[in-house]
Amino acid sequence: MRVKIIGSAAGGGFPQWNCNYRLSRAARAGSAGVRPRTQSSLAASADGRGWVLFNASPDIRQQIAETPELQPQPDDALRSTPIRAVVLTNADVDHVAGLLSLRERQPFAIYATEQVLSALRANSIFNVLDPSIVPRHRLMENQETSIQDAEGNETGVRIETFAVPGKIALYLEDTSRPNDNFGSDSGDTIAVRLAGSRPESSAFYIPGCARVDPDLRQRLSGASCLLFDGTVYTDDEMVTAGVGTKTGARMGHLAMSGENGSIARLADVPISRRIFVHINNTNPVLDENSHEHAAVRSAGWEVGYDGMEIEL
């Protein structure tokens, strides 16, 4: 089982198009140790030929262009793709907008929870993906799902999904109640467990998570690999950077640092490999020369980047 990070940044990418914060400036300048990144997405393949995407970011065209495995091969049909299915972990714009770039009547399957499928149905623009060509399948939580392509053929990718603490998508918030807590523990945000080629191997993909609770700690125990929400290093990071007013918690994301941060909360959970993904453009770990990057590495974590591969 091959797993490839094709997008490691949070919404907006890195550098974000309208961000002039020091890290985005450094990325545009090509500074050493500051790599540009596209928006959050993962690809997995059991056979090296057919691929399943986890989330379809607005950067999907660029991601396909930079990933030969996701492009039509020379002997393929004139209209073809190795992308067999897309699994959505929530309804955030940075996870569903890329579906619109896959609208050229090319068969593939969509898998998502009922909450996410409902959001797609409610927005008529997603009807450009004709369900008779691009079927939509409801993911049932806490049970294994064998991902199939649009024709019902097995891809060899097997997953289990379960709800994690998160929040509803920004565009689904009630703007008349700006001070409400829009957190959700009921499937608006899910985690994905990918089964590896060996019975004991598995990887968890959790690009959005608001807190680490006892249930999540238990599920992650013994994992071969964890790809986890690394949006912010400190909860008030965007506020202190002067680029926003929301904390990580308000956005439904757990900070890396602090006594209740992901590093501390998962420190004693046996996980073979730990990788941060979905990294916001204000997060200082994006600078590989920073002391925050060094602190993450010394804690046993890696900072994900576009093109990073994992084999299960």
Side-chain angles (χ1 to χ4, degrees), residues 29-290:
S31 300
V34 185
R35 317 183 199 205
R37 288 165 163 84
T38 60
Q39 296 172 82
S40 175
S41 188
L42 192 74
S45 178
D47 59 11
R49 298 188 301 275
W51 289 80
V52 176
L53 299 187
F54 293 85
N55 294 322
S57 91
D59 294 326
I60 194 167
R61 183 180 179 278
Q62 178 182 346
Q63 291 165 344
I64 293 172
E66 294 176 353
T67 310
E69 297 94 329
L70 301 182
Q71 303 165 12
Q73 299 305 299
D75 56 350
D76 286 342
L78 293 178
R79 288 285 191 269
S80 59
T81 179
I83 298 171
R84 306 290 190 243
V86 177
V87 177
L88 304 173
T89 63
N90 61 23
D92 285 353
V93 169
D94 48 317
H95 286 162
V96 302
L99 292 173
L100 301 177
S101 295
L102 304 178
R103 66 188 181 276
E104 282 83 10
R105 301 184 68 79
Q106 181 67 46
F108 65 94
I110 294 174
Y111 286 80
T113 63
E114 179 55 33
Q115 289 96 318
V116 176
L117 292 177
S118 177
L120 297 183
R121 288 193 298 268
N123 193 327
S124 60
I125 195 171
F126 288 102
N127 291 338
V128 297
L129 296 168
D130 185 342
S132 67
I133 299 172
V134 182
R136 303 177 185 184
H137 301 289
R138 180 183 177 186
L139 284 172
M140 304 302 293
E141 294 177 20
N142 301 308
Q143 68 181 45
E144 187 172 89
T145 300
S146 294
I147 302 299
Q148 300 177 342
D149 66 13
E151 286 76 37
N153 301 308
E154 297 289 345
T155 64
V157 174
R158 295 175 292 113
I159 68 171
E160 179 187 359
T161 61
F162 56 93
V164 292
K167 65 176 288 294
I168 63 174
L170 176 63
Y171 62 90
L172 296 177
E173 293 182 5
D174 185 346
T175 57
S176 68
R177 300 177 356 231
N179 297 319
D180 279 16
N181 175 12
F182 293 104
S184 171
D185 293 344
S186 59
D188 288 286
T189 297
I190 61 170
V192 178
R193 177 188 177 275
L194 288 89
S197 55
R198 302 181 306 279
E200 71 278 7
S201 63
S202 63
F204 287 82
Y205 184 50
I206 312 177
C209 188
R211 67 181 182 276
V212 174
D213 56 23
D215 179 67
L216 181 57
R217 285 168 51 85
Q218 182 176 359
R219 286 179 183 270
L220 296 178
S221 181
S224 305
C225 183
L226 169 63
L227 300 114
F228 194 76
D229 185 350
T231 306
V232 292
Y233 188 77
T234 56
D235 186 56
D236 63 349
E237 178 179 296
M238 291 182 62
V239 178
T240 58
V243 300
T245 60
K246 292 181 180 179
T247 63
R250 173 61 181 83
M251 298 185 294
H253 297 288
L254 179 67
M256 295 177 176
S257 64
E259 62 179 295
N260 291 314
S262 53
I263 293 175
R265 292 288 294 147
L266 294 171
D268 60 345
V269 180
I271 301 168
S272 298
R273 188 174 182 186
R274 305 157 189 254
I275 305 170
F276 280 122
V277 292
H278 197 275
I279 306 165
N280 195 58
N281 56 74
T282 54
N283 193 323
V285 303
L286 290 169
D287 181 355
E288 296 172 11
N289 302 304
S290 68

